[in-house]
């Protein structure tokens, strides 16, 4: 089956109510073009998961696409808080299950290895654990180590329906390279039923074969491959482009109230036909070129 | 006595002194970053610095807006993942020191980064854990950096995101955890913890403060030993490194 497709087709493959693992880390390699397209297509009732909540998740929550969020806390770094996520938690409209970075990563890891559960030292003695026990009951448990007799907290695996990744380079089969730190992305893809790859560059499989040690996502996990430059804008992609401070500040300001965020969505999401119109809207090539990363610095 | 330094600079210098050469240190953003780079560039050149998302021993030349800023990853020796850093290094037991900041802490060094207000009523949700709970649970010891304020050093905190000595005594061990906070560094004093009760205990007070200044601006009564020395002020070279090399644009020191 041909995997190389458009963002529209890839997003359309996700039914409302799916569990989607998102790739962003506060303001870097966020699936922003994906989030904007999912909002335009009117996808609802999603369960989102990510180790650290990021701008992609916040936008989907703010647009009303999300019912449930499984995450380890998050922010937009110095730019601000996850206003939409926080508001959803404060007014009770978002079902948030809050862990730590490692406990979400271990839930993906268990899923990626096909294990029934994963023991962890984190969370014990904290209100995070008390809250998780109250809210979900069944996602954490205690077990006796059969070898030592010690008591361990164990976590249920996360098995997302689809993992969405923003990567640097991939081929048409979805064999993908991620430059720089990968946070939870590899475990997410391996724990999920399938993965959508959104790549800054599509190259030939021969190119991949030349440096196959860079391949962190094997194509066999991938259902759709989309070539989409600046797919993380206004967040950064290491060695490709820097974050767009002005546009992130605009987002933070807009998310301070539901009304101002609605106006933002009307302008930057519903008001544009697709990713290409969005890129024109924020300044086109002339502006985007100023964000291009220095090859030595990587930003 | 030379008062020609800010409280933040003294906190960074005091934090740096807590790190020994060859130790492995897990670092959150803000003042802990300055303290760790300061240690590395002075007495601890062989320390290893970890950032949770998968970054080891970076050497930034520009200050970043947070861990998600590639400026903070520049010249790293390793770029990997959460499972690598928080799993096979931290959870495995290889991290000597965790360096954490927070919204509130109580007398047992429990840390809140999740919410302010009443978790069952009106509250404001903030950042949450990230790797903080993991570091607090698995590092051999933790250093907390806090502003000295009765609203931050509280009898009861709104939410325990990252456990310290839980309810004191042996309650941390009973919760299945070893380690625990070793120091709390504020802009007025440095605290340790009483060996048995695990209550916060004054170790030293910063020059220019009295013990009343320290204790009178806390929401609980710390253990105060009979003799409390002054905190050693930052050295000239430490100040120069902070101001000229580590944080010239005052991105971390505020």
């Amino acid at each position: 089956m041909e995997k190389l497709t458009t963002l529209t087709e890839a997003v359309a493959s996700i039914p409302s109510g799916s569990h989607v693992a998102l790739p962003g880390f506060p303001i870097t390699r966020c699936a922003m073009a994906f989030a904007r397209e999912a909002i335009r297509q009117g996808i609802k009732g999603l369960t989102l998961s990510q180790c650290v909540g990021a701008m992609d998740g916040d936008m989907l929550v703010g647009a009303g696409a999300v019912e449930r969020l499984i995450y380890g806390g998050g922010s937009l770094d110095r730019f601000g808080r996850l206003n939409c996520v926080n508001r959803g938690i404060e007014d009770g409209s978002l079902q948030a299950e809050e862990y730590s970075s490692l406990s979400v990563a271990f839930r993906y890891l268990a899923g990626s290895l096909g294990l029934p559960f994963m023991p962890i030292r984190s969370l014990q003695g904290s209100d995070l654990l008390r809250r998780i026990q109250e809210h979900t009951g069944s996602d954490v448990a205690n077990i006796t180590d059969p070898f030592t007799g010690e008591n361990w907290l164990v976590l249920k695996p996360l098995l997302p329906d689809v993992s969405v990744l923003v990567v640097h380079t991939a081929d048409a089969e979805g064999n993908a390279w991620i430059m720089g730190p990968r946070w939870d992305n590899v475990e997410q893809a391996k724990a999920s039923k399938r993965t959508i790859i959104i790549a800054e560059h599509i190259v030939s499989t021969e190119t991949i074969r030349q440096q196959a040690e860079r391949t962190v996502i094997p194509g066999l996990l991938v259902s759709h491959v989309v070539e989409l430059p600046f797919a993380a804008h206004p967040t950064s992609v290491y060695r490709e482009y820097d974050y767009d401070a002005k546009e992130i500040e605009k987002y933070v300001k807009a998310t301070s109230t539901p009304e101002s965020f609605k106006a933002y969505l009307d302008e930057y999401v519903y008001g544009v036909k697709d990713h290409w119109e969005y890129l024109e809207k924020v300044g086109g090539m002339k502006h985007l070129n100023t964000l291009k990363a220095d090859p030595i610095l990587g930003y | 006595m030379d008062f020609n330094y800010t409280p933040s600079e003294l906190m960074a210098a005091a934090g740096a002194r807590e790190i020994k050469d060859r130790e492995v240190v897990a670092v959150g953003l803000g003042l802990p970053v300055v303290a760790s780079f300061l240690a590395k560039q002075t007495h601890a050149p062989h320390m290893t610095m970890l950032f949770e998302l998968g970054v080891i021993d970076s050497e930034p030349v520009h200050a970043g807006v947070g861990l998600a800023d590639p400026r903070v990853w520049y010249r790293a020796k390793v770029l990997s993942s959460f499972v690598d850093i928080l799993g096979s290094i931290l959870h495995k037991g290889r991290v000597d020191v965790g360096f954490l900041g927070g919204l509130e802490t109580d007398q047992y060094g429990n840390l809140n980064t999740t919410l302010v207000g009443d978790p069952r009523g009106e509250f404001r949700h903030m950042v949450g854990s990230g790797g903080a709970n993991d570091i607090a649970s698995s590092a051999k010891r933790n250093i907390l950096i806090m502003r000295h304020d009765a609203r931050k050093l509280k009898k009861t905190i709104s939410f325990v995101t990252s456990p310290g000595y839980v309810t004191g005594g042996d309650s941390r061990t009973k919760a299945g955890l070893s380690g625990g906070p070793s120091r709390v560094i504020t802009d007025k004093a440095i605290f340790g913890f009483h060996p048995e009760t695990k209550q916060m205990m004054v170790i030293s007070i910063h020059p220019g403060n009295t013990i009343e200044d320290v204790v009178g601006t806390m929401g609980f009564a710390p253990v105060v030993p009979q003799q409390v020395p002054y905190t050693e002020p930052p050295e000239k070279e430490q100040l120069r490194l902070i101001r000229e090399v580590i944080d010239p644009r005052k991105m971390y020191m505020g």
Side-chain angles (χ1 to χ4, degrees), chain A residues 191-233:
Chain A
S192 300
K193 292 194 186 99
R194 65 186 178 94
T195 294
I196 293 173
I197 293 285
I198 299 170
E200 293 289 326
H201 310 283
I202 298 295
V203 297
S204 68
T205 299
E206 190 51 37
T207 307
I208 296 286
R209 288 185 195 273
Q210 292 297 319
Q211 294 181 71
E213 66 278 4
R214 284 185 166 188
T215 308
V216 291
I217 308 295
L220 69 94
L221 306 178
V222 176
S223 64
H224 297 73
V225 181
V226 180
E227 182 173 33
L228 207 65
F230 289 96
H233 183 275

Side-chain angles (χ1 to χ4, degrees), chain A residues 96-108:
Chain A
E97 291 153 33
E98 203 171 333
Y99 291 79
S100 64
S101 298
L102 185 65
S103 40
V104 180
F106 269 15
R107 293 193 65 188
Y108 287 130

Side-chain angles (χ1 to χ4, degrees), chain A residues 67-107:
Chain A
E67 197 174 287
R68 186 170 166 225
L69 175 67
I70 301 162
Y71 81 136
S75 73
L76 299 177
D77 276 351
R78 276 264 175 130
F79 287 103
R81 302 191 293 137
L82 298 174
N83 286 334
C84 301
V85 168
N86 287 346
R87 192 158 43 240
I89 295 174
E90 287 159 12
D91 68 19
S93 60
L94 176 68
Q95 187 190 332
E97 291 153 33
E98 203 171 333
Y99 291 79
S100 64
S101 298
L102 185 65
S103 40
V104 180
F106 269 15
R107 293 193 65 188

Side-chain angles (χ1 to χ4, degrees), chain B residues 80-206:
Chain B
S80 59
S81 65
F82 283 123
V83 167
D84 190 48
I85 303 292
L86 295 181
S88 51
I89 301 178
L90 175 72
H91 200 263
K92 165 80 175 168
R94 295 184 202 273
V95 171
D96 298 300
V97 186
F99 229 136
L100 302 169
L103 300 167
E104 302 177 330
T105 187
D106 61 16
Q107 62 177 332
Y108 301 116
N110 299 302
L111 200 61
N112 172 20
T113 51
T114 300
L115 58 87
V116 284
D118 174 5
R120 311 215 174 257
E122 288 277 309
F123 66 88
R124 285 199 78 193
H125 193 273
M126 310 300 274
V127 175
S129 166
N133 172 281
D134 307 308
I135 293 169
S137 302
S138 288
K140 289 179 195 158
R141 64 180 199 276
N142 279 285
I143 301 165
L144 315 184
I145 290 205
M146 299 286 294
R147 291 281 153 203
H148 197 104
D149 187 323
R151 287 169 305 173
K152 292 190 150 280
L153 304 165
K154 287 173 76 171
K155 191 157 182 60
T156 310
I157 59 177
S158 305
F159 194 93
V160 178
T161 313
S162 304
Y165 293 106
V166 192
T167 53
D170 61 354
S171 57
R172 182 177 167 97
T173 316
K174 283 196 177 138
L177 302 170
S178 54
S182 62
R183 290 287 181 269
V184 179
I185 301 173
T186 76
D187 45 309
K188 290 189 193 298
I190 299 178
F191 300 86
F193 290 86
H194 189 276
E196 267 117 53
T197 67
K198 303 296 182 189
Q199 286 169 291
M200 219 181 271
M201 186 168 73
V202 183
I203 299 277
S204 68
I205 59 175
H206 303 341

